[in-house]
Amino acid sequence: MREIIINENDAGRRVDRFLKIYFEKAPLSFIYKNLRKKNIKVNGKKANPEDILNEGDVIRLFLAEDTIKKFKKDVKKYKNSKFPDVLFENEDIILIKKPINMLTHNDQKAYQDNALDRLVDYLIYKEEFNPRLENSFRPAFVNRLDRNTSGILIGAKNLKTLQYLNEGIKNRNISKYYLTIVKGDIKDDFDVDINLKKSKNNVVAKSSDGKRSVTKFKVLKTKNNYTLLSVNLITGRTHQIRASLKEKGYYIIGDRKYGTKEENNKFRKLGLDSQFLHNFCVSFDLKKLEDVKGKNYIFLPNDKMTKIAEDLFDVNLGEIINEKGIF
């Protein structure tokens, strides 16, 4: 018999969802079967899958130790010596500056450098997170940036903050602003409200059976048939900004999927080796997070991107963002 005591980062989860994380390698049928047969009890009683766990609850597993080891989640050993570039942090939340060509999460079986593992390593080093003491929780981001998009990642250090931030994203109490340069002479601000769907070749386009995607575009500067835009991402769909611009007949410079080879080659010679898309600001309207409520957190693009924008439009990027960039 093994005993699990529910801690602060486990509390608030459904029994079945907690067990699915704890028994990472087990099918749901294994969990439901053992709950039904009372091989898994909570506080000495039979538990229903939908019951909510509270801090201090005791789960007892009346299972063979070999069975537990077979299905239990692995405690990962982190050997990454690199830490993330931190924009802001307190005891609950952390904002990370993600560079171009870094994954938000590892998406392969083999290890690849990624922002989330760097964050975990950093919190282990600071002794703010110990994976061996956690049954189900791991620090996590509530937003995601593509490998070739730089910007701010919003991380949670504990389960309550993670749940609260996810709720904030869902209820649109967290705003995310992007900076981009598009080919074309755009005079007025505009919104794009369409349904988007991903195709088999990983291209996103308008589709009647797609998910609703709402994006607001603000013109910062237009010159020589290029436009510098600030983008307010209302929903969060894959390739939303790029696909929404494509629907309007525009494309981001450096974008190899939705742009043109001619434009990409032109700017590659100037040092742009990715699409010009950068999440430069996040802001929070969250009552329970007083430290960040009503504040804007700014992270400017890397030196190459900043120079391209400032030379192309004859502006100071920081000044124009402060003057016009936030909706």
Side-chain angles (χ1 to χ4, degrees):
M1 189 271 288
R2 180 178 292 197
E3 188 173 276
I4 305 166
I5 299 175
I6 298 302
N7 64 27
E8 183 181 10
N9 282 329
D10 302 322
R13 295 190 194 274
R14 284 172 44 138
V15 169
D16 57 348
R17 291 174 184 169
F18 169 84
L19 291 170
K20 180 55 184 170
I21 296 172
Y22 189 83
F23 289 115
E24 186 178 49
K25 303 171 186 178
L28 278 171
S29 58
F30 168 85
I31 292 167
Y32 292 139
K33 175 183 176 181
N34 283 284
L35 283 170
R36 188 172 63 253
K37 290 190 170 186
K38 301 181 185 179
N39 293 330
I40 301 175
K41 292 184 178 182
V42 178
N43 298 329
K45 300 177 181 178
K46 180 181 179 181
N48 297 312
E50 66 274 12
D51 289 347
I52 302 298
L53 293 167
N54 297 303
E55 187 174 358
D57 283 350
V58 178
I59 297 178
R60 290 187 174 89
L61 308 175
F62 297 94
L63 301 167
E65 193 63 25
D66 287 346
T67 300
I68 294 173
K69 290 180 179 179
K70 176 182 176 182
F71 291 126
K72 193 177 182 299
K73 73 183 182 74
D74 294 325
V75 176
K76 297 181 180 179
K77 296 180 180 179
Y78 302 98
K79 298 180 180 179
N80 182 13
S81 61
K82 298 177 182 177
F83 293 150
D85 191 353
V86 178
L87 176 63
F88 168 85
E89 68 174 311
N90 60 22
E91 63 182 6
D92 298 312
I93 189 173
I94 183 165
L95 305 180
I96 300 299
K97 301 177 185 178
K98 188 190 90 67
I100 293 169
N101 293 326
M102 177 181 286
L103 293 167
T104 299
H105 316 92
N106 191 11
D107 59 1
Q108 304 289 333
K109 289 185 178 180
Y111 178 79
Q112 299 179 87
D113 187 20
N114 65 91
L116 182 57
D117 282 340
R118 287 194 179 201
L119 170 61
V120 171
D121 284 352
Y122 173 69
L123 295 179
I124 291 173
Y125 174 78
K126 291 184 67 185
E127 299 184 349
E128 293 186 29
F129 174 67
N130 185 339
R132 295 190 177 277
L133 299 181
E134 295 293 340
N135 298 309
S136 64
F137 177 75
R138 186 174 185 245
F141 294 122
V142 298
N143 63 325
R144 178 185 173 277
L145 297 172
D146 291 338
R147 182 197 286 266
N148 56 352
T149 301
S150 54
I152 303 169
L153 291 169
I154 306 167
K157 295 184 178 183
N158 53 68
L159 180 62
K160 287 183 179 178
T161 301
L162 178 62
Q163 292 172 332
Y164 189 54
L165 288 174
N166 278 325
E167 182 182 349
I169 292 283
K170 181 180 178 181
N171 295 332
R172 300 175 185 173
N173 297 126
I174 299 175
S175 298
K176 295 165 287 182
Y177 302 96
Y178 288 71
L179 194 68
T180 192
I181 297 174
V182 301
K183 178 69 173 179
D185 187 3
I186 305 173
K187 299 297 185 183
D188 300 313
D189 301 346
F190 64 98
D191 300 344
V192 178
D193 186 345
I194 56 175
N195 291 349
L196 293 175
K197 185 177 181 180
K198 186 191 294 186
S199 65
K200 292 181 180 180
N201 60 353
N202 203 33
V203 172
V204 175
K206 182 178 179 180
S207 174
S208 59
D209 60 343
K211 294 181 179 179
R212 189 184 179 201
S213 305
V214 183
T215 320
K216 295 180 176 292
F217 296 88
K218 183 180 182 66
V219 176
L220 301 183
K221 189 71 181 287
T222 297
K223 188 176 181 181
N224 297 329
N225 203 30
Y226 293 98
T227 304
L228 179 66
L229 293 170
S230 175
V231 186
N232 185 359
L233 199 62
I234 305 301
T235 55
R237 311 299 183 202
T238 301
H239 298 179
Q240 179 176 320
I241 296 173
R242 300 155 74 187
S244 296
L245 286 168
K246 188 74 171 181
E247 180 66 21
K248 285 288 188 178
Y250 305 118
Y251 54 84
I252 298 171
I253 62 171
D255 190 340
R256 297 173 188 175
K257 189 177 291 289
Y258 298 89
T260 69
K261 187 175 181 179
E262 181 182 2
E263 284 294 327
N264 293 347
N265 288 339
K266 176 180 177 180
F267 283 93
R268 193 171 292 117
K269 293 176 182 178
L270 299 176
L272 184 66
D273 55 1
S274 68
Q275 61 192 16
F276 197 109
L277 184 61
H278 175 81
N279 173 211
F280 75 90
C281 175
V282 295
S283 63
F284 301 87
D285 183 18
L286 297 168
K287 294 179 181 179
K288 295 181 182 178
L289 295 177
E290 290 293 336
D291 283 2
V292 300
K293 182 182 177 183
K295 295 181 180 178
N296 297 321
Y297 293 90
I298 306 291
F299 166 39
L300 292 180
N302 63 35
D303 291 344
K304 285 183 180 179
M305 294 174 70
T306 295
K307 186 176 188 309
I308 287 170
E310 292 186 341
D311 290 349
L312 191 60
F313 296 102
D314 192 24
V315 295
N316 179 288
L317 198 56
E319 289 179 0
I320 199 167
I321 285 175
N322 286 332
E323 179 185 351
K324 299 181 178 181
I326 310 299
F327 284 70

